Amino acid sequence: MADQQKLTASIIIISETASADPSTDKCIPTLQKVFTSLGASKWEITATKIIPDDVTKIQNAVLQSCAEGVNLIVTSGGTGFAVKDVTPEAVGPLIQKQAPGLVHGMLAASLEVTPFAVMSRPVAGVRDGSLILTLPGSPKGAKENLEAVFKLLGHACLQAQGGDSRNMHKGGVEKLEKEAGVSAKGGEKKVGGGHSHSHGHGHGGHGCGHNYGPGHGGHQGPKAHTAPEERPQQSNDPAQGPSRRYRQSPYPMLTVKDALHKIAEHTPSPTIIKLPVNESLVGHVLAEDVTAQESVPAFRASIVDGYAVIAGSDAPSTKGVFPVSMISHAQAGEHQELQKGQIARITTGAPLPPGATSVVMVEDTILVSKTDDGNEEKEVEILTDEIEVGENVREVGSDVQSGDVIMQKGEGISAIGGEFGLLASVGVKEVSVYKKPIVGVLSTGDEIVNHDREGDLKRGEVRDTNRPTLLTAIRGSGFEAVDLGIVSDKPGALEQTLRDATRRVDVMITSGGVSMGELDLLKPTLERQLGGSIHFGRVAMKPGKPTTFATIPVKSNSGERIDKVVFSLPGNPASCVVTYHLFVLPSLHQMAGVEPRGCARVKVQLDGDVRLDRQRDEFHRAVVKAGGDGLLHALSTGGQRSSRIGSFKGANALLCLPAGEGSIKKGEMVDALLMGKLVGDV
Ligand SMILES: *[C@@H]1O[C@H](CO)[C@@H](O)[C@H](O)[C@H]1NC(C)=O
């Protein structure tokens, strides 16, 4: 540059929200970072301002900066198509020399990121020696736009200010490019990744960081690029009343895959507890290896009915007639030692008397005489001399040795019974397992009444189907469910219920109250009253788009910080069941140490055509049966309108259908998630 004097810039944020509450602004720091990282030595930011979307105020702010003689004025916000977006209308008339090339450069850079760039209406140009640029309102979009042209601005500003153009251009374009750190070959031209973004070139004006586009661009689902902690609180502030609430959900639309990642990331790790080995152990997963406390069998036992004998080289022949000196049934107690020349009657599973080496099967013997009362055997003849030491004897520990690892960490105790039986057989009284989360379910809405309330519904009342449906689904998947009831729409009620619930349960599921309805209090309550973080609020899927996942930090009894998990599921039962199986179950499994998590994914053959949704991946209720041909067959349960609980009757699976045109034909294979038991088809 011609001299060492720094170029000056002012940043003007145009946003209703941020002007009301400057703490919500994320644009200023983002833009300041662009200046410091790309041009710290050349630039100095002399002023930052936050003003509302108002033509006069915007013009005054820009004119003031011009009057102060700054080299560069960047505005952010108000460049979309919303009614209140007026930045181009305010700034446009002030420009004396248009700079369409800069506009083109910014749009081209954004277009590489999202097709919604065409929804931005930037202007750029010079007034009184100051270069003015209007950037979009989202921090991400503003940053991308500024970065796209930033390295060229120094030169432009100097010229605009009246720098000696001949002198500046002396080295030719190549020298200029070198000074600016750019090249025509594209070394610097591209900023930001090539993947899809969802920042809102579409509608500035909800304040920085709120400007997420309509968010269904392209095939690859849109993706959030900020972590929740980087975002201002996004929920509506109920105190502001309906006229101030968002016209469009401020939450980025996540793909199902990304939503599942978020859930996995924010679900608390399992806690380890000790539990007695009793029936309530079923469904738990071991957190430590289990070793046998005892050997099985714990004593030498006969595996046949017959006679315990002394055999072997130093014993007399086993062939001959012997007195039956004692009887060993399968029962506890001490036995006398068996003496040479004696035999003992023994039943299967009974302990061998001390001294006995083997058991002769009853088939190899005949009764010779009975006791006087005729009730007992007195003498028995053994017909064979070929009995070996250890014959028909189960040795101590031949099944399990004391100290053997009989089950490993990560193995589950199923309801089928095998594992429980094993633990029970070796004297294990207590095991370390992952604590199964307790799940609370509540419904929200003044219109909701208990499903079994007596009497006809009044106008506008709705029976609560979601809560009983979810309670059933939770218990059906082996978790304890707590009914938290119906919460009224009054702000305090929801907060109190959730606060109480954090002490009783690990996971809260609410349904209703997740749409953009005027009384949607859940998100603001979570964020504003409970200090929670909303990790996602929209998912690109059908049904279940408004599915919301949040965590609330609480102090445990031992004083450490733990997160309670909140799922807010869509306000109708069919969507509730789908999203429970898709999103909640994997989280419960994760907390309980169950692997793999969630419903089993299987390939099924369609027994009928299924139409695809053009825009969203769909989870389509179906009945999956095991066919006689060894394949799993799926039949749709019909109309999938998200309020149709009837379409769930009999459904045990969700077909995973990609968004697309037309339908998938009968006979084709698709993925399905099994929610319940397979049914046979005979
Ligand atoms: C089984 O153990 C649990 C603790 O995990 C206890 O609450 C329950 O009462 C026990 N059940 C029986 C039948 O002993």
Side-chain angles (χ1 to χ4, degrees):
M1 294 291 137
D3 62 38
Q4 283 311 100
Q5 212 186 347
K6 287 197 177 184
L7 294 163
T8 53
S10 73
I11 298 173
I12 302 171
I13 304 300
I14 299 158
S15 158
E16 291 296 343
T17 317
S19 69
D21 178 2
S23 72
T24 62
D25 172 68
K26 290 281 190 269
C27 264
I28 292 177
T30 304
L31 293 175
Q32 278 171 330
K33 233 192 251 163
V34 175
F35 279 93
T36 37
S37 64
L38 296 181
S41 59
K42 294 178 194 159
W43 290 94
E44 185 186 351
I45 295 167
T46 50
T48 60
K49 275 174 223 163
I50 304 179
I51 55 170
D53 294 282
D54 176 275
V55 172
T56 314
K57 287 186 177 143
I58 296 170
Q59 291 184 333
N60 285 342
V62 170
L63 288 172
Q64 192 190 340
S65 290
C66 288
E68 284 161 7
V70 298
N71 296 106
L72 176 65
I73 301 166
V74 293
T75 71
S76 164
T79 60
F81 276 85
V83 175
K84 63 178 178 171
D85 288 339
V86 293
T87 305
E89 287 63 41
V91 176
L94 302 182
I95 288 176
Q96 297 157 337
K97 272 185 194 153
Q98 298 289 340
L102 288 174
V103 171
H104 187 87
M106 292 194 290
L107 288 177
S110 294
L111 271 171
E112 288 206 39
V113 175
T114 167
F116 282 102
V118 299
M119 303 292 286
S120 191
R121 309 180 296 122
V123 294
V126 180
R127 179 183 181 92
D128 296 342
S130 300
L131 180 60
I132 308 168
L133 286 185
T134 62
L135 305 173
S138 78
K140 179 139 195 67
K143 175 170 181 282
E144 277 163 3
N145 276 233
L146 183 58
E147 282 175 338
V149 297
F150 187 82
K151 299 215 165 156
L152 307 159
L153 294 180
H155 182 72
C157 287
L158 288 175
Q159 273 198 304
Q161 209 187 21
D164 178 351
S165 138
R166 200 165 344 133
N167 197 19
M168 287 164 69
H169 286 169
K170 218 160 36 189
V173 176
E174 264 180 48
K175 175 164 172 278
L176 289 171
E177 286 182 354
K178 200 158 158 239
E179 280 177 347
V182 297
S183 89
K185 287 178 199 74
E188 280 288 334
K189 119 182 149 203
K190 198 173 143 194
V191 288
H195 45 281
S196 79
H197 287 226
S198 62
H199 62 72
H201 298 272
H203 60 108
H206 293 325
C208 280
H210 294 161
N211 296 15
Y212 292 95
H216 43 74
H219 262 301
Q220 196 180 347
K223 195 167 156 187
H225 287 270
T226 50
E229 51 278 14
E230 292 165 18
R231 297 180 203 138
Q233 293 188 338
Q234 294 162 317
S235 48
N236 281 307
D237 181 351
Q240 298 210 335
S243 63
R244 294 294 294 273
R245 68 179 195 80
Y246 301 124
R247 260 34 196 177
Q248 188 161 17
S249 172
Y251 296 92
M253 180 90 84
L254 262 58
T255 61
V256 171
K257 193 163 155 234
D258 287 340
L260 287 168
H261 274 147
K262 288 263 175 230
I263 292 171
E265 188 185 338
H266 295 284
T267 291
S269 334
T271 43
I272 298 174
I273 52 167
K274 289 217 186 274
L275 283 186
V277 175
N278 72 20
E279 305 87 87
S280 51
L281 194 60
V282 169
H284 286 88
V285 172
L286 293 172
E288 278 174 17
D289 291 355
V290 177
T291 53
Q293 309 285 299
E294 295 161 356
S295 295
V296 180
F299 50 85
R300 301 177 74 215
S302 175
I303 59 175
V304 293
D305 288 342
Y307 297 89
V309 300
I310 300 169
S313 51
D314 56 340
S317 169
T318 57
K319 190 170 172 168
V321 176
F322 296 90
V324 179
S325 68
M326 63 183 120
I327 300 165
S328 177
H329 292 303
Q331 64 187 28
E334 293 303 310
H335 287 275
Q336 293 167 306
E337 182 149 351
L338 192 66
Q339 304 295 326
K340 280 187 185 164
Q342 294 179 342
I343 60 172
R345 204 169 93 219
I346 192 164
T347 52
T348 303
L352 264 68
T357 65
S358 321
V359 177
V360 182
M361 293 167 75
V362 70
E363 289 85 347
D364 288 332
T365 66
I366 43 175
L367 180 62
V368 174
S369 62
K370 292 191 175 182
T371 50
D372 295 343
D373 60 8
N375 287 338
E376 281 296 343
E377 299 167 346
K378 192 170 166 197
E379 287 171 315
V380 164
E381 182 176 358
I382 297 176
L383 304 174
T384 173
D385 191 21
E386 287 163 13
I387 302 300
E388 288 172 14
V389 171
E391 191 165 333
N392 295 327
V393 175
R394 214 154 54 106
E395 295 295 338
V396 171
S398 58
D399 283 359
V400 180
Q401 291 277 354
S402 171
D404 280 356
V405 173
I406 53 158
M407 285 193 70
Q408 288 180 340
K409 175 178 170 172
E411 290 185 302
I413 318 290
S414 77
I416 298 166
E419 301 82 13
F420 192 87
L422 184 58
L423 292 174
S425 71
V426 294
V428 177
K429 316 257 177 343
E430 195 181 63
V431 287
S432 289
V433 293
Y434 299 116
K435 183 178 176 300
K436 285 204 284 186
I438 300 172
V439 190
V441 183
L442 58 116
S443 296
T444 56
D446 284 333
E447 77 284 17
I448 307 283
V449 298
N450 276 326
H451 72 95
D452 52 0
R453 199 206 56 190
E454 299 292 332
D456 295 339
L457 292 177
K458 293 196 203 67
R459 188 179 161 75
E461 282 184 338
V462 180
R463 290 198 197 277
D464 189 0
T465 33
N466 290 358
R467 192 164 38 103
T469 303
L470 283 167
L471 289 167
T472 309
I474 294 160
R475 290 173 187 143
S477 37
F479 294 94
E480 185 182 334
V482 175
D483 186 351
L484 299 172
I486 300 169
V487 186
S488 94
D489 282 326
K490 292 182 198 71
L494 183 59
E495 182 192 345
Q496 196 53 46
T497 304
L498 289 173
R499 247 185 229 293
D500 292 345
T502 57
R503 288 182 215 111
R504 294 169 65 193
V505 302
D506 304 293
V507 177
M508 283 152 266
I509 307 181
T510 79
S511 62
V514 289
S515 65
M516 289 295 291
E518 191 181 307
L519 295 175
D520 178 358
L521 295 169
L522 179 78
K523 286 166 176 166
T525 303
L526 284 173
E527 284 191 329
R528 292 168 202 272
Q529 265 83 44
L530 298 166
S533 310
I534 293 177
H535 303 296
F536 62 80
R538 287 195 302 163
V539 185
M541 64 180 284
K542 178 185 169 183
K545 189 167 114 183
T547 303
T548 297
F549 168 66
T551 48
I552 307 177
V554 296
K555 273 227 176 74
S556 74
N557 289 338
S558 52
E560 60 188 322
R561 197 197 112 128
I562 46 168
D563 279 333
K564 299 287 176 166
V565 173
V566 183
F567 284 95
S568 182
L569 304 185
N572 71 71
S575 308
C576 258
V577 177
V578 172
T579 49
Y580 169 78
H581 284 94
L582 202 57
F583 297 119
V584 183
L585 192 59
S587 179
L588 300 183
H589 280 166
Q590 185 174 346
M591 278 181 253
V594 175
E595 295 286 349
R597 301 170 200 160
C599 299
R601 187 178 276 264
V602 294
K603 287 248 182 270
V604 297
Q605 189 175 54
L606 293 181
D607 278 357
D609 295 1
V610 185
R611 268 200 98 62
L612 299 179
D613 186 272
R614 283 221 181 91
Q615 296 188 345
R616 286 184 282 163
D617 291 352
E618 183 178 351
F619 295 86
H620 187 106
R621 281 87 76 185
V623 180
V624 168
K625 294 183 174 179
D629 55 2
L631 289 177
L632 297 175
H633 290 262
L635 197 58
S636 161
T637 56
Q640 301 277 318
R641 225 177 52 225
S642 59
S643 59
R644 272 203 52 182
I645 188 71
S647 71
F648 242 104
K649 204 156 49 78
N652 62 345
L654 298 171
L655 303 180
C656 309
L657 305 176
E661 295 290 333
S663 48
I664 302 186
K665 301 289 176 213
K666 175 177 173 170
E668 292 193 47
M669 304 293 291
V670 298
D671 278 6
L673 295 170
L674 282 183
M675 297 183 293
K677 285 207 184 101
L678 271 186
V679 264
D681 187 14
V682 199

